[in-house]
Amino acid sequence: KLSGPFDAAVGFPEVQPLLAAIATVKVDKFESHAVADPSKYGFDKPTLRLAVTMTEAKPTTPGQPPAEQTVTKTLILGKPTAEGAGTRFARLDGTNAAAFVLPDALLLAADKPALGWLDRTLYSVQADAVTKIQIAGPAPDSNVTLTKDDKGTWKAEGAAFAVDGPTVDALLFAASRPPVARLAAYGAAVNLAQFGLDKPSHAITVTAGGTTH
């Protein structure tokens, strides 16, 4: 779940690369056992601060099993080690923490705008469960309603001709789980007119299993 700058559901495909990257952070090499001059490594103006909260097993009293405790570790990513190197300096937040070198894979997985983490699934239905597709276009003659009868045959309402099977199949494939390339804006305050959605060119309504999308 995303809790800032707004609350929203996060899609697992979007967050999975980051989870894989932070599960085991391996350094290429240690650069210095302590950081006397943070600006040398870009730590005075870090590229990214990544705080990870996790549970760790901590020893308790002798003879007792370890107890899980919640800990937070903050990784500071500084400047690249060299132009085009694909690596950068990093350190854990803390006094006199060592400087080390990390590949850029972690930065690439973590450095996304808030919209880049959101679940891109608008809705998802089984294509064979769809029974009606309504397409409203800019003119009356571009409006189309496709319905499926009890035998699974698709027909266009008001048309005497049969519909083209492959064309309907392609529409079903796209309409049952609309692909989203990226999210442009989110929230109740979105200005629909900015994206041409106050007067949309087309509106597609999908009915499946008694539910309309």
Side-chain angles (χ1 to χ4, degrees), residues 37-47 76-79 89:
D37 180 10
S39 64
K40 178 180 179 181
Y41 306 100
F43 298 150
D44 56 330
K45 298 178 180 179
T47 303
I76 299 175
L77 302 181
K79 64 184 181 181
F89 298 114

Side-chain angles (χ1 to χ4, degrees), residues 19-106:
L19 294 176
I22 64 176
T24 305
V25 179
K26 293 185 177 181
V27 305
D28 280 1
K29 67 174 183 176
F30 279 89
E31 186 71 18
S32 174
H33 73 281
V35 178
D37 180 10
S39 64
K40 178 180 179 181
Y41 306 100
F43 298 150
D44 56 330
K45 298 178 180 179
T47 303
L48 188 75
R49 296 176 64 94
L50 180 63
V52 181
T53 301
M54 67 195 86
T55 57
E56 285 187 347
K58 298 287 187 179
T60 54
T61 56
Q64 298 296 321
E68 286 194 346
Q69 296 182 11
T70 301
V71 298
T72 298
K73 297 184 183 294
T74 301
L75 185 65
I76 299 175
L77 302 181
K79 64 184 181 181
T81 57
E83 186 177 353
T87 56
R88 65 184 54 245
F89 298 114
R91 71 177 178 90
L92 289 172
D93 197 13
T95 304
N96 294 326
F100 46 86
V101 175
L102 280 181
D104 274 343
L106 179 58

Side-chain angles (χ1 to χ4, degrees), residues 117-180:
W117 298 106
L118 299 190
D119 191 343
R120 298 180 188 178
T121 303
L122 299 180
Y123 66 84
S124 181
V125 298
Q126 293 294 326
D128 57 5
V130 177
T131 56
K132 180 186 287 189
I133 300 177
Q134 296 168 280
I135 303 172
D141 59 358
S142 60
N143 296 338
V144 178
T145 298
L146 301 171
T147 57
K148 184 172 68 173
D149 61 22
D150 296 338
K151 297 180 180 179
T153 302
W154 284 93
K155 297 179 180 179
E157 289 188 359
F161 54 83
V163 298
D164 180 65
T167 301
V168 173
D169 289 342
L171 176 60
L172 282 172
F173 179 80
S176 59
R177 194 179 190 277
V180 176

